[in-house]
């Protein structure tokens, strides 16, 4: 089964199989000037699949020179420490606020183990630290000349405090990570991915404004694939971020605990997703991409931390 898709710009999309489903986790491969860059190479559990896709795209894993992380969440960059061992020329690019978590993965491993327990290895594989000499710290406004492209780095906090997007002004392509939300292919439904601990709705709204002003022709989502109507897509995300956040807030104000808030959010929203696609698996597939439990935990923490006066 083909896992790579090449677009007219030369960008290749890689679909990494996750929890038995394809087209949930997306990586993007850029090649040119004897360089190969992978944006969001994914978790440690899908490294063999990533290698197969790199070969399918016409390259060897050893030829990879750049691993660009939009952010350090495990589904985007959990595998980079292991990857640099297999890719002798590869450097890892990450925002300064995310760099400590790649240099030393012990905190990430500890918090993920609390959530995933004995499913850690199956979900995420190895989570190895990246040696300092293989890491390059990036900041807002940096220009990366990579694989024949000129990629602008834009800092876009909201989903994660260290999140960046990469924008190729020339081709109009914007690699959005999770800042543009989750929307699986063939479904007109944008879902807000709001895991703890960094969710910040004010910052996220500003990041949405920032991306809209860039007027990208294509957004490449981490979950999953390209979307060409960026302005519409981003407004859908903004609406959902707000309404879901308000549902959580109101439920908390009524005195519900996490379980109660979760039940309320599912009751208020799951039917919309179910009816937005004829695929009977659509709810399950979105749940794999970004699950309700973490969504609720992220929002609850946001309200408690940033707006205790509203509770
Ligand atoms: Zn994420």
């Amino acid at each position: 089964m083909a896992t790579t898709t090449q677009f007219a710009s030369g960008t290749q999309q890689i679909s990494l199989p996750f929890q038995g489903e394809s087209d949930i986790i997306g990586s993007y491969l850029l090649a040119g000037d004897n360089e190969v860059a992978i944006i969001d190479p994914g978790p440690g559990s899908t490294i063999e699949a990533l290698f197969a896709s790199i070969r399918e795209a016409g390259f060897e894993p050893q030829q990879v020179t750049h691993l660009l992380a939009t952010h350090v969440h495990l589904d985007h960059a959990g595998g980079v420490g292991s990857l640099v061992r297999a890719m002798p020329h590869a450097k890892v690019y990450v925002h300064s606020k995310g760099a400590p978590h790649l240099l030393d993965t012990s905190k990430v491993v500890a918090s993920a183990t609390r959530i995933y327990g004995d499913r850690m290895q199956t979900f995420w594989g190895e989570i190895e630290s990246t040696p300092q000499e293989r890491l390059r710290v990036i900041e807002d406004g940096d220009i990366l000349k990579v694989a024949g492209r000129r990629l602008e780095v834009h800092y876009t906090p909201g989903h994660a405090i260290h999140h960046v997007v990469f924008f190729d002004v020339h081709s109009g392509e914007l690699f959005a990570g999770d800042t543009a939300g989750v929307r699986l292919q063939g479904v007109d439904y944008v879902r807000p991915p709001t895991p703890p601990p960094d969710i910040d709705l004010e910052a996220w709204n500003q990041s949405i404004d920032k991306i809209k002003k860039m007027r990208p022709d294509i957004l490449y989502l981490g979950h999953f694939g390209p979307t060409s109507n960026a302005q519409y897509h981003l407004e859908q995300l903004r609406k959902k971020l707000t309404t879901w956040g308000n549902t959580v807030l109101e439920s908390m104000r009524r005195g519900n605990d996490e379980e109660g808030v979760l039940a309320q959010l599912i009751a208020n929203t799951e039917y919309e997703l179910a009816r937005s696609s004829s695929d009977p698996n659509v709810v399950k597939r979105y749940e794999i991409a970004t699950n309700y439990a973490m969504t609720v935990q992220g929002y609850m923490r946001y309200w408690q931390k940033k707006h205790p006066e509203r509770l």
Side-chain angles (χ1 to χ4, degrees), residues 14-18 22-27 42-43 46 75 124 222-224:
I14 294 171
S15 168
L16 297 171
F18 190 61
S22 58
D23 297 358
I24 300 276
I25 297 184
S27 299
T46 55
D75 49 337
W124 307 118
H223 321 284
F224 175 90

Side-chain angles (χ1 to χ4, degrees), residues 26-28 37-42 66-81 83 91-99 101-102 130 135-139 144 151 153-156 160 162-166 175-179:
S27 299
Y28 297 93
I38 313 258
I39 299 172
D40 286 351
H66 298 74
L67 295 168
L68 309 185
T70 59
H71 63 305
V72 306
H73 289 167
L74 295 175
D75 49 337
H76 294 256
V80 295
L83 286 172
K91 303 274 194 301
V92 178
Y93 292 73
V94 65
H95 188 264
S96 53
K97 291 194 165 121
H101 299 295
L102 295 189
T130 301
L135 201 80
R136 296 290 176 271
V137 168
I138 52 178
E139 302 287 354
L144 302 178
L151 298 179
V153 176
H154 294 275
Y155 180 50
T156 56
H162 57 273
H163 202 299
V164 298
V165 299
F166 301 103
F175 300 92
D178 285 344
T179 299

Side-chain angles (χ1 to χ4, degrees), residues 170-214:
H170 182 72
S171 69
E173 296 168 289
L174 188 142
F175 300 92
D178 285 344
T179 299
V182 167
R183 191 250 33 217
L184 300 183
Q185 285 187 322
V187 188
D188 182 12
Y189 189 86
V190 185
R191 179 159 155 173
T194 62
D198 294 345
I199 296 312
D200 182 331
L201 295 187
E202 289 85 353
W204 203 332
N205 267 300
Q206 285 173 17
S207 294
I208 289 173
D209 292 337
K210 198 172 181 181
I211 295 176
K212 285 184 78 176
K213 279 202 193 104
M214 294 178 223

Side-chain angles (χ1 to χ4, degrees), residues 78-305:
V80 295
S82 308
L83 286 172
V84 291
R85 282 164 222 277
M87 298 173 165
H89 308 295
K91 303 274 194 301
V92 178
Y93 292 73
V94 65
H95 188 264
S96 53
K97 291 194 165 121
H101 299 295
L102 295 189
L103 287 169
D104 176 4
T105 56
S106 55
K107 262 196 203 165
V108 173
V109 171
S111 68
T113 304
R114 278 196 297 277
I115 298 170
Y116 297 101
D118 54 11
R119 294 171 303 166
M120 270 298 278
Q121 185 68 28
T122 320
F123 277 22
W124 307 118
E126 296 302 319
I127 306 170
E128 296 185 78
S129 297
T130 301
Q132 178 100 49
E133 66 274 15
R134 305 296 290 281
L135 201 80
R136 296 290 176 271
V137 168
I138 52 178
E139 302 287 354
D140 185 51
D142 282 357
I143 306 287
L144 302 178
K145 292 194 174 145
V146 166
R149 310 278 190 120
R150 184 179 182 280
L151 298 179
E152 294 179 356
V153 176
H154 294 275
Y155 180 50
T156 56
H159 170 80
I161 199 161
H162 57 273
H163 202 299
V164 298
V165 299
F166 301 103
F167 185 41
D168 180 339
V169 181
H170 182 72
S171 69
E173 296 168 289
L174 188 142
F175 300 92
D178 285 344
T179 299
V182 167
R183 191 250 33 217
L184 300 183
Q185 285 187 322
V187 188
D188 182 12
Y189 189 86
V190 185
R191 179 159 155 173
T194 62
D198 294 345
I199 296 312
D200 182 331
L201 295 187
E202 289 85 353
W204 203 332
N205 267 300
Q206 285 173 17
S207 294
I208 289 173
D209 292 337
K210 198 172 181 181
I211 295 176
K212 285 184 78 176
K213 279 202 193 104
M214 294 178 223
R215 304 211 150 268
D217 293 310
I218 298 177
L219 300 176
Y220 289 114
L221 309 178
H223 321 284
F224 175 90
T227 186
S228 52
N229 196 343
Q231 307 291 321
Y232 166 80
H233 175 97
L234 291 165
E235 281 312 314
Q236 294 301 106
L237 171 64
R238 195 195 312 266
K239 258 189 235 163
K240 283 284 180 341
L241 269 176
T242 308
T243 54
W244 286 40
N246 287 340
T247 299
V248 169
L249 177 63
E250 283 158 24
S251 189
M252 289 170 82
R253 288 171 61 122
R254 283 198 301 275
N256 283 316
D257 61 4
E258 192 178 314
E259 209 176 311
V261 176
L262 179 65
Q264 179 73 67
L265 185 67
I266 291 174
N268 278 26
T269 61
E270 202 173 68
Y271 73 95
E272 305 171 327
L273 173 59
R275 75 176 182 201
S276 69
S277 170
S278 55
D279 176 1
N281 284 324
V282 69
V283 170
K284 175 188 150 202
R285 285 174 53 75
Y286 269 71
E287 189 67 10
I288 292 173
T290 172
N291 64 73
Y292 271 109
M294 283 220 276
T295 297
V296 164
Q297 286 162 13
Y299 273 124
M300 287 182 78
R301 188 177 162 120
Y302 163 76
W303 291 118
Q304 284 156 352
K305 205 168 72 175

